[in-house]
Amino acid sequence: MSPNCILERVASTKSTNDDLLARWRAGELIDPVARIAHEQTSGKGRAGRVWLSNPEDTLCFSLAYPFHKRPNELSGLSLVIGLAAISGIAKALGLSEDALHQQGLRLKWPNDLLLNNAKLGGILIEGGQTNPNSPTWMVIGLGLNLHNAALIQKGLEDQTSLSVAALDQLTPHQAPIPDTEFIWLKLIESFERHLTQFEQHGFGYFKNSWELWDAFNGQSVCISGAGQDPIIGISAGVDDTGALILKQVDKSIAIHAGDVSLRAQS
């Protein structure tokens, strides 16, 4: 772990992402900061959704990280964070990434971790650049379910078609998982390693690795969101910028934003 990464632990806060974003806007960030909360009372998901955080059952933290690139040069960042989360989980559980893959761990473009098509975790990235000469600060939030998937599912206010998974389902014979602090530190180490490589090489360096974990590759999907009509096609991996390639009858298109949902097969 980088000696320059500041570690912060708080009992309760509305949102660790919001905490760090406020400090970025105030010009108070100098070194990377990782902030974990035992409880988030207003945790966030993408598109303004609420991220349900049950104390003891979920791990919620944010990492504020400076890049010496402009925001438009950071495309594919959420996909790299997905890979970093998988690597950190493997290290924390003492399992190989191959073993996790065999158990059904996958990534859903652009920002979810799935376990056998159930949601294990989600990524939210916010931030930017205050002026052209300053670093680009990105605040990277991760919410990860640790225990009691059924209880978390029951507590969801807006029932979705996606079921919920938890990290303890990945351990052999349902063995206890390590404590939250240990998992958090392994995730931070992995985040920093992957972010250093991402800054040096861009997303293209990770493209083939990401496609190995792609939950929907080769499947019919529906892209929705951003106020647009749904777009249907065959998911065909990602390009060097991290955009999703969607194959249609007469063309292929690149999708840069949106929510992916499996299209119901007729």
Side-chain angles (χ1 to χ4, degrees):
M1 189 188 310
S2 165
N4 293 326
C5 185
I6 299 165
L7 303 179
E8 297 181 348
R9 304 160 180 85
V10 294
S12 180
T13 188
K14 287 185 176 180
S15 162
T16 53
N17 259 42
D18 283 352
D19 292 346
L20 295 179
L21 283 168
R23 280 148 64 179
W24 162 61
R25 294 187 182 106
E28 296 172 359
L29 294 178
I30 300 173
D31 293 318
V33 180
R35 183 175 176 85
I36 190 170
H38 174 68
E39 178 185 33
Q40 287 200 91
T41 57
S42 300
K44 299 186 298 181
R46 285 183 71 243
R49 300 186 185 95
V50 173
W51 175 265
L52 185 70
S53 171
N54 289 340
E56 309 296 344
D57 289 337
T58 56
L59 183 159
C60 299
F61 80 95
S62 300
L63 172 67
Y65 192 90
F67 292 91
H68 299 291
K69 293 178 180 291
R70 296 191 176 183
N72 62 2
E73 298 175 298
L74 299 177
S75 60
L77 176 57
S78 67
L79 308 189
V80 174
I81 291 299
L83 291 172
I86 286 174
S87 178
I89 288 168
K91 291 286 196 305
L93 299 183
L95 298 172
S96 69
E97 292 187 23
D98 283 346
L100 297 180
H101 194 279
Q102 289 169 15
Q103 291 190 68
L105 186 60
R106 295 291 187 275
L107 295 173
K108 174 188 169 187
W109 185 91
N111 62 349
D112 284 342
L113 286 86
L114 304 182
L115 180 57
N116 297 314
N117 286 326
K119 185 165 180 174
L120 177 67
I123 297 158
L124 176 66
I125 300 178
E126 303 173 280
Q129 195 174 29
T130 53
N131 66 68
N133 297 317
S134 66
T136 297
W137 280 92
M138 303 307 290
V139 176
I140 301 160
L142 176 69
L144 188 65
N145 300 324
L146 302 179
H147 311 278
N148 296 321
L151 185 63
I152 296 172
Q153 176 84 59
K154 186 177 180 181
L156 287 173
E157 294 177 355
D158 54 334
Q159 294 296 322
T160 67
S161 58
L162 200 63
S163 56
V164 172
L167 204 64
D168 60 1
Q169 294 169 313
L170 284 166
T171 55
H173 310 297
Q174 301 285 297
I177 62 174
D179 65 48
T180 303
E181 175 84 4
F182 182 81
I183 297 169
W184 179 49
L185 294 177
K186 290 300 180 185
L187 286 167
I188 294 170
E189 289 175 2
S190 182
F191 276 29
E192 291 193 317
R193 184 171 65 254
H194 281 73
L195 291 174
T196 298
Q197 294 171 336
F198 175 68
E199 177 139 45
Q200 291 174 346
H201 306 293
F203 176 73
Y205 179 81
F206 297 94
K207 177 176 175 290
N208 292 339
S209 296
W210 195 88
E211 289 182 345
L212 289 173
W213 296 93
D214 184 354
F216 295 157
N217 194 27
Q219 298 184 50
S220 181
V221 298
C222 175
I223 310 296
S224 60
Q228 308 266 339
D229 291 335
I231 306 170
I232 294 170
I234 302 297
S235 178
V238 293
D239 65 16
D240 283 343
T241 72
L244 181 70
I245 303 302
L246 203 66
K247 285 189 176 180
Q248 297 181 314
V249 175
D250 55 348
K251 61 183 176 180
S252 291
I253 57 177
I255 306 294
H256 295 275
D259 291 333
V260 180
S261 58
L262 274 177
R263 180 189 178 194
Q265 300 298 309
S266 57

